[in-house]
């Protein structure tokens, strides 16, 4: 499958949810008419001697110009003209530059005015010289809308915020422009003494994730192959026999990657380990087939008859193990998180394709070229002839004790596992010493958070843009920022209050210093529309598609007897035609306000505390005015919230179907249910280990359990199939169980070692999610081996009804 070589890497917050999820649809609708915040990135610059001297301001202006000049490649221009980009309210045609919507002290708007007039004007003229450094610094630090947002409290740290143009902000295209930003900032930084550049924000966080995925993908796959082949040679004592399970799984893995590439599926933080999963899991059935064929060759010299004796029980066993593994993975399709759903589908596809290669390729190769040594390896013979028979007798003598211990472990594990909680941070998947963590911490310490959230307030224009509504919004902003540390907001209330305070008494007022009358508020809004770069100021905060015609009148005072601002006929507030007004606004005029928020990367627990309070507080808005909470922070929080329900749903679904298969296999519901207990205990105990070790449920670890539910059952099925055979050959159940442990135990041990060692390779990953995935998988699989060899025999003998 040549297509396998073209698979891409991606990590997008938008793909966390299934499109039919009402929660994500609400979060997306909250941001529908505004420029999306997930494209926003931050360039933070620090300088030992500060920036407020002529050289510092000139250097900062140079950086600004470098970033503004980054062009869009000709080959990418078509991406910016897609329907999704055209639907944005601010779309103004195909852009020439890659970055837009800059915000920094280079473009900051400060309140200026004479007498009773005041407007927002650029403090650093667009085409003029830099302002006086000392005066400029004083004005910025005295402005509450700027301090802590665009510059630090001491003025030594400055921030440039911008957005990637729509159409080039996703997939591999985005990476090229992030690299261009890195190149420009590096070239700018080189000649400067003592300057430091930090690149942060969701695009760069996502890029860091992709870099880690790409690096680990290149190193871990070969390591897995080496470990896998080495263990197979050790297990079978023959390179020829070892290569047969390996080749079958390799072909299955390549075909799965090829199908993913053809379907346009990218490698992400969840399905990253899919190749390791297929290689390791797929080899299990191959090991059992080769081991059984070697066993049959000792009793039957004719390869065809030996193969017939091998495939008769193995076809049933391998078919059932594949079915249970498919059930485990496909149960993830019940999840609401899109990445988990996708992983479940493609893992099932990979396992299914591998089973086809296993059942066709391995028997064919064994008949054509043989398996090398007809006798089993020294390790296998020692296990079969010495250690496993002793273990079988030990289990039979203590089966009541083992049943009691297993039930105690199950109850204790459930009590501990009940304390498991979901938790996630944006950089949770990186080691604590990773540079991305240090950069993010600097941004949060000096300026503000990097995870965006938004609150939209929508309704009839006369209600949304009413003084009472703005007062309520300002109160909610203040309460929100004091309720939890690391939260900051910015809305139309901040701009209006700044202008109003200046007009009233010429001071820098507070957010709650808002006009009390509608005519005053209307005049202030009109003033904002006349400010420098009005669209850049208002479009992220106010969507007002059908404003009323401005009232002409003389300039006046703030006490409401006259209009505050007057307009000439050419001010641009032309009244639309009646036909256009009717077509554009068939009902009462409506407007939407947006509260832009940023939060520290303090984890999903904090935001989960805030959202319910915020939802309740938003109900205090006037009747007819609705509010929604959205943004990337909200999307991630919803994903983490769904993890627990997704885990329980998928596990219950997989448990029910696998128990049914077990009952059909043993022709006894009682025996089938008893056989499932040893497969539940490893999962429960692994959850208990997570609680003790402080490992939280998050998107990269939750898939472990649904996957392992299907995996740990595989060896149990091979064990049950062999036990059913031995019951027909043995005089009593005890003798049959001894033979079952003796002959089924060897491949069970080999497959467990293969699985555990294969997943242990993931522990070396620098990606913390993959590391924890490997740790949890190894623990679960190791516990499953103990359960299969000790608990399963005891429970089967206890649940077996003796014939009358």
């Amino acid at each position: 499958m040549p297509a396998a070589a073209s698979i891409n890497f991606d990590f997008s917050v938008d793909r966390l949810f299934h499109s039919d999820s009402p929660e994500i649809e609400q979060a997306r609708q909250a941001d529908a008419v505004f420029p999306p915040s997930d494209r926003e990135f931050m360039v933070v610059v620090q300088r030992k001697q500060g920036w407020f001297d002529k050289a510092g301001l000139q250097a900062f202006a140079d950086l600004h110009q470098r970033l503004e000049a980054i062009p869009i490649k000709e080959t990418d221009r078509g991406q910016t003209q897609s329907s999704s980009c055209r639907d944005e309210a601010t779309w103004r045609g195909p852009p020439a530059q890659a970055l837009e919507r800059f915000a920094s002290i280079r473009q900051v708007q400060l309140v200026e005015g004479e007498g009773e007039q005041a407007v927002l004007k650029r403090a650093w003229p667009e085409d003029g010289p830099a302002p006086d450094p000392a005066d400029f610094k004083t004005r910025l630090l005295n402005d509450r809308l700027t301090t802590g947002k665009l510059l630090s409290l001491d003025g030594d740290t400055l921030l440039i915020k911008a957005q990637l143009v729509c159409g080039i902000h996703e997939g591999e295209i985005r990476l090229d422009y992030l690299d261009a930003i890195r190149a420009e900032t590096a070239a700018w930084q080189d000649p400067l003494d003592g300057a430091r550049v930090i690149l942060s924000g969701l695009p760069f966080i996502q890029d860091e994730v992709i870099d880690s995925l790409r690096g680990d993908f290149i190193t871990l796959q070969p390591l897995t192959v080496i470990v896998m082949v080495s263990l197979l040679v050790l297990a079978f004592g023959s390179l020829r026999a070892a290569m047969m399970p390996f080749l079958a799984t390799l072909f299955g893995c390549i075909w799965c990657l090829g199908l993913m590439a053809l379907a346009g599926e990218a490698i992400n933080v969840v399905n990253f380990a899919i190749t390791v999963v297929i290689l390791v899991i797929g080899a299990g059935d191959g090991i059992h087939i080769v081991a059984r064929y070697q066993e049959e060759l000792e009793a039957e010299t004719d390869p065809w008859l030996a193969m017939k004796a091998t495939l008769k029980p193995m076809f049933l066993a391998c078919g059932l193990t594949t079915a249970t593994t498919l059930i485990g993975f496909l149960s993830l399709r019940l999840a609401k998180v899109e990445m988990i759903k996708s992983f479940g589908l493609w893992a099932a596809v990979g396992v299914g394709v591998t089973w086809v290669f296993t059942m066709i390729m391995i028997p064919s190769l064994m008949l054509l070229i043989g398996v090398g040594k007809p006798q089993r390896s020294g390790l296998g013979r020692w296990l079969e002839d010495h250690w496993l028979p002793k273990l079988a007798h030990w289990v039979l003598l203590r089966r009541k004790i083992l049943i009691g211990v297993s039930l105690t472990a199950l109850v204790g594990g459930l009590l501990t596992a009940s304390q498991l909680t979901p938790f996630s941070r944006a950089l949770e998947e990186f080691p604590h010493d990773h540079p991305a963590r240090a950069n993010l911490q600097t941004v949060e310490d000096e300026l503000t958070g990097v995870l965006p959230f938004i609150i939209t307030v929508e309704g009839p224009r006369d209600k949304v843009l009413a003084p009472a509504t703005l007062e309520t919004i300002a109160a909610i902003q203040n309460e929100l920022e004091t309720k939890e540390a690391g939260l900051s907001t910015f809305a139309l209330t901040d701009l209006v209050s700044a202008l109003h305070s200046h007009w009233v008494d010429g001071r820098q007022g507070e957010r709650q210093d808002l006009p009390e009358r509608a005519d005053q508020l209307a005049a202030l809004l009109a003033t904002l529309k006349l400010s420098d770069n009005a669209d850049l100021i208002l479009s992220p905060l106010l969507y007002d598609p059908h404003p009323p015609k401005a009232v002409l009148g003389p300039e006046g005072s703030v006490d409401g007897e006259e209009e505050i601002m007057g307009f000439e006929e050419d001010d641009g507030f032309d009244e639309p035609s009646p036909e256009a007004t009717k077509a554009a606004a068939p009902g009462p005029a409506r407007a939407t306000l947006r509260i832009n928020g940023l939060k520290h990367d303090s984890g999903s627990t904090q935001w989960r505390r805030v959202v319910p309070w915020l939802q309740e507080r938003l109900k205090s808005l006037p009747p007819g005015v609705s509010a929604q909470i959205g943004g990337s922070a909200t999307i991630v929080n919803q994903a983490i919230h769904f993890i627990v329900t997704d885990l329980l749903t998928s596990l219950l679904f997989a448990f029910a179907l696998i128990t049914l298969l077990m009952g059909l296999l043993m022709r006894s519901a009682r025996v089938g249910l008893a056989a499932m207990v040893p497969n539940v205990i490893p999962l429960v105990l692994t959850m208990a280990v997570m609680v003790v070790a402080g490992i939280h449920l998050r998107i990269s670890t939750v898939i472990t359990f649904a996957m392992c539910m299907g995996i740990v059952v595989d060896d149990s099925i091979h064990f049950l199939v062999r036990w059913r055979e031995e019951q027909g050959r043995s005089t009593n159940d005890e003798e049959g169980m001894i033979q079952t442990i003796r002959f089924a135990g060897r491949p069970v041990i080999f497959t467990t070692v293969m699985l555990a060692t294969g997943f242990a390779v993931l522990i070396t990953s620098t990606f913390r999610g993959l590391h924890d995935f490997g740790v949890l998988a190894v623990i679960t699989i190791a516990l499953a081996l103990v359960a299969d060899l000790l608990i399963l025999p005891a429970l089967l003998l206890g649940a077996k009804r003796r014939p009358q």
Side-chain angles (χ1 to χ4, degrees), residues 40-58:
E40 188 174 85
F41 66 91
M42 301 178 180
V43 180
V44 179
V45 292
Q46 295 178 313
R47 185 170 177 244
K48 292 179 180 178
Q49 60 269 47
W51 294 101
F52 290 93
D53 54 43
K54 290 186 177 181
L57 292 181
Q58 181 57 47

Side-chain angles (χ1 to χ4, degrees), residues 184-205:
E184 290 295 339
T185 54
W188 170 83
Q189 182 183 8
D190 282 344
L192 295 178
D193 182 27
R196 180 190 178 195
V197 177
I198 297 173
L199 302 175
S200 191
L202 281 181
F204 282 101
I205 291 175

Side-chain angles (χ1 to χ4, degrees), residues 120-196:
L120 290 175
K121 287 189 177 181
R122 287 184 61 141
W124 190 333
E126 186 172 4
D127 300 322
D132 176 72
D135 178 67
F136 189 37
K137 180 178 181 180
T138 300
R139 294 180 63 196
L140 291 176
L141 292 178
N142 288 334
D143 187 82
R144 62 179 171 83
L145 306 184
T146 303
T147 305
K149 295 179 175 65
L150 298 180
L151 76 164
S152 59
L153 297 178
D154 58 9
D156 292 341
T157 301
L158 302 181
L159 170 68
I160 299 176
K161 286 199 296 188
Q163 288 188 354
L164 294 169
V165 166
C166 179
I168 64 170
H169 65 290
E170 293 182 333
E172 296 291 327
I173 296 177
R174 176 190 63 204
L175 303 183
D176 293 337
Y177 293 98
L178 294 183
D179 287 340
I181 296 171
R182 290 190 182 96
E184 290 295 339
T185 54
W188 170 83
Q189 182 183 8
D190 282 344
L192 295 178
D193 182 27
R196 180 190 178 195

Side-chain angles (χ1 to χ4, degrees), residues 341-608:
K341 291 164 64 75
S342 178
F343 173 81
L345 173 63
W346 288 109
V349 169
V351 170
V353 172
T354 301
W355 178 81
V356 174
F357 280 109
T358 297
M359 301 309 298
I360 296 175
M361 179 182 292
I362 293 179
S364 301
L365 289 176
M366 288 194 297
L367 289 174
L368 289 174
I369 64 176
V371 291
K373 300 177 181 179
Q375 73 276 10
R376 296 182 295 280
S377 66
L379 176 61
R381 183 170 294 279
W382 176 80
L383 287 172
E384 201 169 278
D385 295 341
H386 298 283
W387 190 78
L388 287 172
K390 292 181 180 179
L391 177 65
H393 286 93
W394 186 89
V395 170
L396 293 181
L397 291 174
R398 296 166 177 82
R399 61 187 183 189
K400 291 184 179 180
I401 297 175
L402 291 173
I403 292 175
V405 170
S406 64
L407 295 178
T408 302
L410 180 60
V411 173
L414 285 172
L415 292 175
T416 307
S418 63
Q419 304 174 39
L420 192 61
T421 57
F423 179 82
S424 182
R425 298 177 62 189
L427 295 181
E428 182 75 13
E429 311 300 347
F430 292 105
H432 291 286
D433 58 349
H434 195 280
R437 278 181 175 265
N439 291 342
L440 179 63
Q441 191 62 51
T442 299
V443 175
E444 293 184 345
D445 290 344
E446 298 292 336
L447 296 164
T448 183
V450 298
L451 298 183
F453 67 92
I454 58 103
I455 305 167
T456 56
V457 179
E458 192 270 343
R461 188 183 190 278
D462 58 343
K463 289 188 176 182
V464 170
L465 297 178
T469 303
L470 294 191
E471 289 176 6
T472 302
I473 292 175
I476 292 174
Q477 287 180 261
N478 289 335
E479 293 173 31
L480 182 60
E481 292 176 352
T482 57
K483 185 175 182 62
E484 295 284 349
L487 295 177
S488 63
T489 61
F490 187 77
L492 185 66
T493 52
D494 296 283
L495 296 178
V496 170
S497 62
L499 282 175
H500 184 68
S501 299
H502 187 90
W503 264 326
V504 171
D505 53 17
R507 65 181 179 87
Q508 178 70 241
E510 302 298 330
R511 179 182 285 145
Q512 62 268 25
D513 295 331
L514 294 163
E516 298 179 357
R517 297 200 311 267
D519 59 335
Q520 293 177 339
L521 177 57
L524 290 169
L525 292 176
T527 300
L528 286 172
K529 293 178 180 178
L530 293 177
S531 300
D532 293 341
N533 295 328
D535 179 68
L536 184 65
I537 297 173
L538 288 177
S539 60
L541 305 175
L542 171 64
Y543 180 64
D544 187 16
H546 308 295
K549 181 181 178 182
V551 179
L552 300 178
E555 198 175 287
S557 64
V558 297
D559 47 13
E561 297 181 2
E562 296 179 348
E563 297 297 329
I564 297 177
M565 292 294 296
F567 304 99
E568 302 297 334
E569 292 293 342
D570 58 353
D571 279 333
F573 293 90
D574 296 329
E575 182 179 10
S577 66
E579 294 78 8
T581 303
K582 183 177 180 180
R590 302 182 72 83
T592 306
L593 296 179
R594 181 167 78 168
I595 304 171
N596 288 321
L598 288 171
K599 65 182 290 293
H600 286 187
D601 187 22
S602 53
S604 58
T605 302
Q606 179 209 42
W607 195 234
R608 196 161 56 247

Side-chain angles (χ1 to χ4, degrees), residues 173-242:
I173 296 177
R174 176 190 63 204
L175 303 183
D176 293 337
Y177 293 98
L178 294 183
D179 287 340
I181 296 171
R182 290 190 182 96
E184 290 295 339
T185 54
W188 170 83
Q189 182 183 8
D190 282 344
L192 295 178
D193 182 27
R196 180 190 178 195
V197 177
I198 297 173
L199 302 175
S200 191
L202 281 181
F204 282 101
I205 291 175
Q206 293 169 2
D207 192 32
E208 292 281 357
V209 172
I210 291 174
D211 278 346
S212 295
L213 291 179
R214 200 187 302 273
D216 284 347
F217 193 83
I218 294 173
T219 57
L220 293 182
Q221 315 310 317
L223 183 58
T224 303
V225 169
I226 293 172
V227 170
M228 181 177 178
V229 173
S230 301
L231 289 174
L232 287 172
V233 172
L234 179 64
F236 296 116
S238 166
L239 178 61
R240 193 184 310 173

